[in-house]
Amino acid sequence: MNFMTQLPDYISVAQILESLDVINIEDEQLRKIIEILLNRIEQLESKVSKVEAENQKLQDENNRLKGEKGKPKIKPSRAKNKETNHSSEKERHKPQPHRKSSKNENINIDREEILVISLEQMPSDVQFKGYEEVLVQDIKLGTDNILFRKQKYYSPTKGKTYLAEMPVGYEGQFGPNLKALCVALYYGSNMTEGKLIEFLSDIGISISSGQLSNVLIKNHEDFHTEKGEILNAGLESSPWQHFDQTHCRVNGENYNCNVVCNPLYTTYHTTRKKDRLSVIDALIPGHKLHYLLNREALELLEIWNISSKTIQLLEKLPSEIEWEEDAFLELLSTQVPGLGKNHHSRILEATAIAAYHRQTKYPAITVLVCDDAPQFKLLTSDIALCWIHDGRHYKKLRPLVASHKKRLDKFLEEYWDYYHQLRDYRHNPTQESKEQLRVRFGDLFSTTTGYWELDDRIRRTFDKEVELLMVLEHPELPLHNNPAELGARTMVLRRNISYGTRTLEGTKAWDTFLSLVATTRKLGVSFFEYVRSRICQNCEIPSLSKIINEKAMILQLGLSWNSASLLSPIY
């Protein structure tokens, strides 16, 4: 009370909260009471913010229903952007010394030209001292239109006409170089069809929007096949895989794009929904989902708290038989009638997971590196959670009280210090450091700060100990899911530029060529040269799956699984 009466009238509540630190309060009972009140203020402020946001959405929707406009979406200024920035780039990255390499090392010399000096304007005693080299990069853009004159013969005795064949890659009205350029600019450089037509027109190419669409979408079965081979080789290259999802649009409807990757490849697969079935579908593309009733499926249903009555009915159905979707749905409708939506979905997911673990068409993943979304759980033996995704939750805390801000800042400093220790462990794993890191995790995430929202967040991290510390057993595992999130961002950028696809054929082309773009760049292969090589069928670039297999032998991304007692450093 004395503290409050001594404050000047012009000091606001916000200023009091920013300057107040309960540590300076000597009376222990009063300090505890004020701590409780401050935490209640934090909770109420958070609730008020959520209610205000929800209320604004309802007001906007109400205005739209009346034919009016909602609140305009104006981007906040830089100062406010800092408040809502949940990135942890600065905290997790250690500054590295800058090493500038020569940019000319990897440039191919196409031709040489000697520049001469007129000797007439120089003194008579000049001596030749060699050449000073200047490397200049340039490019040629122009047409190479060809009029093919195909020889034609006729045999009267056979009654048959013989016609010379077109060179490989020159099917249709456009040559392989032009086709490869269109594919590379559209998929590899995110150029829209409209801008691509304008660009081609500027250099003298006459092509309609329909013809360009056909070049980009149709007759690409060989590319679709190679994409499937890439996924198979990628899944075989390591027992762990990154996975992420983002929404996309197909003919104006919401779909879901699944991203599967590791350091050697990236593949995209679009599905109708965003659930466990879509994740499995992305891991076996080109093959229909199957459903298997066995002990594993029933155990999953028990974990999901499916009623014992439903499980008893399922136990009476034929087991250890793989069903296609239509047949299995018919079986459920006749033998287990009256299923609710939740029970029906869980049964499909459990039996699909059991069938996925049984199938041999694609390697089954051992560890999924992902975020904490529910659709990723129970698909694989283990899950390795993303530390950056977990740290993002701490960055979202917005304490009002100065002492709470200090506690949050102090904890985040210890959080990212621990993250850096895990990074160091990956490069130099030892049994001693492994045990030390496990003990420190328990100490760090059993901390009680007195800031309730922070303490709740710490407890939630502690509950994920097994998933966050998978790296201690397998140092090959990454600490974050950034590769998959960056892959998802590529689809988001594609979506922002072209909105979406109109047909399932176009969607399949997007999935395939975005996969090929990402994979060729990871493997150090020119996407343009790769596409041209495939169109010309000249075999200059080997299959990407073969390159993945060769690099996988060098990287040994699953070394610790091959030798359970071996701690393998990451190079």
Side-chain angles (χ1 to χ4, degrees):
M1 295 296 293
N2 293 334
F3 171 74
M4 295 300 295
T5 55
Q6 292 173 4
L7 288 174
D9 295 337
Y10 58 81
I11 294 183
S12 66
V13 174
Q15 289 175 313
I16 295 173
L17 293 176
E18 288 179 3
S19 60
L20 180 62
D21 193 340
V22 293
I23 297 176
N24 299 326
I25 301 175
E26 296 180 0
D27 190 319
E28 183 178 352
Q29 186 175 2
L30 178 60
R31 183 169 64 251
K32 288 182 179 179
I33 292 172
I34 293 179
E35 276 189 352
I36 293 172
L37 291 174
L38 291 176
N39 277 293
R40 288 296 293 159
I41 290 172
E42 296 278 14
Q43 290 177 336
L44 293 173
E45 178 66 22
S46 178
K47 288 182 179 180
V48 167
S49 298
K50 291 178 182 177
V51 169
E52 287 178 345
E54 184 66 26
N55 187 43
Q56 185 62 55
K57 288 181 181 179
L58 294 173
Q59 289 180 9
D60 293 344
E61 183 64 24
N62 190 36
N63 289 336
R64 278 189 286 268
L65 292 173
K66 291 179 179 179
E68 302 172 5
K69 292 184 178 180
K71 183 180 179 181
K73 293 182 179 180
I74 302 174
K75 290 184 177 181
S77 62
R78 285 188 177 181
K80 271 202 166 181
N81 268 334
K82 290 180 180 178
E83 294 180 5
T84 57
N85 180 19
H86 304 145
S87 173
S88 56
E89 291 295 310
K90 291 182 180 179
E91 293 90 341
R92 70 186 185 87
H93 275 306
K94 290 182 178 179
Q96 299 291 335
H98 178 66
R99 296 187 181 91
K100 187 174 181 180
S101 58
S102 173
K103 66 178 182 180
N104 295 336
E105 289 180 358
N106 300 319
I107 297 177
N108 294 323
I109 308 298
D110 298 307
R111 62 189 176 94
E112 292 186 7
E113 184 175 333
I114 297 177
L115 303 179
V116 299
I117 306 174
S118 175
L119 297 176
E120 296 176 357
Q121 300 177 1
M122 292 188 292
S124 59
D125 62 342
V126 295
Q127 299 177 1
F128 180 69
K129 294 296 183 179
Y131 299 94
E132 181 176 313
E133 295 182 345
V134 178
L135 179 59
V136 177
Q137 297 183 75
D138 201 359
I139 190 171
K140 295 178 181 178
L141 285 176
T143 59
D144 185 28
N145 301 330
I146 307 171
L147 176 63
F148 286 104
R149 300 175 63 85
K150 301 164 64 175
Q151 287 188 341
K152 183 166 64 175
Y153 291 88
Y154 176 74
S155 169
T157 58
K158 297 284 187 179
K160 183 178 178 181
T161 298
Y162 297 88
L163 192 64
E165 294 184 356
M166 291 286 288
V168 176
Y170 285 88
E171 299 82 5
Q173 302 177 47
F174 306 103
N177 294 314
L178 178 57
K179 293 176 185 175
L181 181 64
C182 290
V183 170
L185 291 178
Y186 182 76
Y187 292 108
S189 301
N190 286 325
M191 187 179 286
T192 63
E193 290 188 31
K195 290 299 180 184
L196 187 48
I197 289 175
E198 290 179 7
F199 171 75
L200 295 174
S201 177
D202 287 342
I203 59 176
I205 299 294
S206 176
I207 185 171
S208 68
S209 58
Q211 290 172 324
L212 177 59
S213 179
N214 290 338
V215 169
L216 297 174
I217 293 174
K218 296 184 180 297
N219 302 319
H220 292 314
E221 287 306 316
D222 289 344
F223 289 109
H224 298 321
T225 299
E226 185 153 12
K227 179 213 168 186
E229 294 171 353
I230 288 170
L231 177 60
N232 188 66
L235 296 177
E236 287 182 342
S237 67
S238 71
W240 55 270
Q241 308 291 334
H242 291 282
F243 204 107
D244 199 15
Q245 297 177 317
T246 185
H247 86 270
C248 56
R249 302 278 286 183
V250 178
N251 197 26
E253 295 186 17
N254 288 329
Y255 274 64
N256 174 62
C257 179
N258 304 272
V259 183
V260 192
C261 64
N262 73 12
L264 297 174
Y265 80 105
T266 297
T267 57
Y268 295 82
H269 184 64
T270 299
T271 54
R272 188 68 183 83
K273 297 180 180 180
K274 187 177 182 177
D275 53 15
R276 287 186 178 89
L277 296 181
S278 69
V279 177
I280 298 173
D281 198 20
L283 298 176
I284 53 168
H287 299 279
K288 292 182 178 180
L289 285 174
H290 284 77
Y291 303 88
L292 175 66
L293 262 174
N294 62 3
R295 189 67 252 166
E296 180 187 4
L298 295 174
E299 288 175 354
L300 287 172
L301 293 174
E302 290 176 359
I303 293 173
W304 290 329
N305 296 319
I306 301 302
S307 67
S308 57
K309 180 181 177 182
T310 301
I311 293 178
Q312 289 172 4
L313 290 174
L314 292 172
E315 287 176 339
K316 296 177 182 179
L317 300 180
S319 62
E320 303 298 337
I321 297 176
E322 287 193 8
W323 300 83
E324 291 190 358
E325 185 171 10
D326 292 340
F328 189 65
L329 291 176
E330 177 68 20
L331 180 70
L332 291 179
S333 64
T334 57
Q335 302 300 320
V336 194
L339 283 173
K341 183 178 179 181
N342 181 59
H343 276 43
H344 188 270
S345 297
R346 290 291 178 264
I347 290 172
L348 290 180
E349 290 178 349
T351 52
I353 290 172
Y356 167 67
H357 291 162
R358 176 75 63 85
Q359 61 84 34
T360 57
K361 297 168 185 173
Y362 281 91
I365 297 174
T366 304
V367 178
L368 208 58
V369 183
C370 55
D371 58 37
D372 203 23
Q375 65 267 25
F376 299 135
K377 297 178 180 178
L378 301 176
L379 288 172
T380 55
S381 302
D382 296 294
I383 283 180
L385 290 181
C386 174
W387 274 89
I388 295 174
H389 190 273
D390 181 73
R392 206 171 291 155
H393 294 296
Y394 292 92
K395 300 280 284 188
K396 291 179 181 180
L397 296 177
R398 298 290 172 213
L400 295 173
V401 182
S403 59
H404 290 174
K405 291 180 181 178
K406 291 179 182 178
R407 293 171 191 179
L408 175 59
D409 292 341
K410 183 176 183 299
F411 181 81
L412 280 176
E413 186 178 340
E414 294 177 353
Y415 183 98
W416 292 114
D417 178 64
Y418 183 76
Y419 174 86
H420 291 144
Q421 291 182 28
L422 287 176
R423 282 203 342 182
D424 294 340
Y425 170 82
R426 292 183 70 242
H427 294 278
N428 185 26
T430 64
Q431 189 65 33
E432 181 182 2
S433 57
K434 172 183 172 181
E435 297 304 324
Q436 290 174 350
L437 286 167
R438 197 177 295 280
V439 170
R440 197 188 170 200
F441 181 94
D443 294 339
L444 179 60
F445 294 102
S446 59
T447 304
T448 301
T449 66
Y451 172 21
W452 291 353
E453 291 187 25
L454 175 58
D455 291 343
D456 178 65
R457 188 69 256 164
I458 292 172
R459 282 192 295 271
R460 294 189 185 191
T461 300
F462 183 79
D463 292 339
K464 301 171 186 174
E465 178 180 4
V466 174
E467 294 86 354
L468 288 169
L469 293 186
M470 281 290 296
V471 67
L472 296 183
E473 300 299 330
H474 303 288
E476 303 96 325
L477 285 171
L479 295 173
H480 55 74
N481 197 33
N482 276 9
E485 292 193 6
L486 290 173
R489 196 176 299 171
T490 299
M491 176 56 77
V492 172
L493 180 61
R494 180 80 255 174
R495 187 179 70 217
N496 291 340
I497 293 172
S498 300
Y499 185 64
T501 56
R502 299 175 190 169
T503 64
L504 293 178
E505 186 179 27
T507 303
K508 187 177 181 180
W510 270 33
D511 286 345
T512 292
F513 283 108
L514 289 180
S515 301
L516 295 173
V517 169
T519 302
T520 51
R521 288 176 178 168
K522 283 187 173 182
L523 298 176
V525 175
S526 164
F527 177 64
F528 171 75
E529 294 296 342
Y530 161 79
V531 175
R532 184 166 62 176
S533 171
R534 293 299 182 267
I535 293 175
C536 294
Q537 300 179 20
N538 56 23
C539 300
E540 288 182 359
I541 297 177
S543 69
L544 299 183
S545 59
K546 181 180 179 182
I547 300 175
I548 291 172
N549 291 333
E550 291 172 352
K551 289 183 176 289
M553 294 292 291
I554 299 171
L555 293 180
Q556 292 290 305
L557 296 175
L559 185 59
S560 65
W561 278 270
N562 298 331
S563 180
S565 61
L566 180 66
L567 291 173
S568 53
I570 303 301
Y571 297 100

